[in-house]
Amino acid sequence: MSDPSEIRTRRLLLRRPLAADTEKFVEVHTSEQAHAFSGFGRRDRAESLRLLENFQLDWDTHGIGYWTVQAASTGEVLGFGGVRNALDEGQKVLNLYFRFLPIAWGHGYAPEMGHAAVRWAHRNRPDLPVVIATAVSNVPAIRVAEKLGFARALERTHEGVAEVLFRSSAPGPLT
């Protein structure tokens, strides 16, 4: 199994979050603009810190979790994302998640990070499907799912939000 704690793509460094990432994590997860499409409200600082603790626990418990996503050329933190163990519809899955600062939008970072995450998952955890769950109104996330080759699996309501669930097949080349 390859170590997922640091993966490089053409433009990104994907690495396990560090204590030094805490303020950037809080910024991303409390930003109203960064939650504009999610369908769910933004978190406050305390909720964001609890979420970061859970993400760190995933790394400690399962050896995989969401990454800090940095620009490889500058080290600038662009956002957070990757795969983590989850239960969805009673099935063990790897949930693909991403949330980027608005300055990182429109540059193809989410599909680039997502492709690396899916490739890692299919090589190292082939028994677990990779899913993306997003609000039906989150057109940018739906485009990322489609760009990654995910298939629309079902629509449902989750915490009062109309949501669509995508499942991946084996990853092909990033388009």
Side-chain angles (χ1 to χ4, degrees), residues 1 8 14-15 22 42-43 47 49 84-85 90 94 103 105 107 116 118 129 133 142 144 162 170:
M1 182 179 316
R8 291 186 181 270
L14 312 171
R15 62 165 175 76
T22 300
R42 64 190 174 101
R43 293 173 174 84
E47 291 167 326
L49 291 172
R84 76 185 277 225
N85 289 306
L94 289 172
I103 61 162
W105 294 357
H107 299 282
V118 171
I142 291 170
V144 170

Side-chain angles (χ1 to χ4, degrees), residues 107-146:
H107 299 282
Y109 297 134
E112 187 172 335
M113 181 280 309
H115 190 259
V118 171
R119 288 179 60 84
W120 182 91
H122 283 289
R123 287 181 181 152
N124 296 281
R125 305 274 169 90
D127 55 316
L128 297 176
V130 181
V131 302
I132 296 174
T134 191
V136 296
S137 60
N138 191 342
V139 174
I142 291 170
R143 279 197 303 256
V144 170
E146 292 168 345

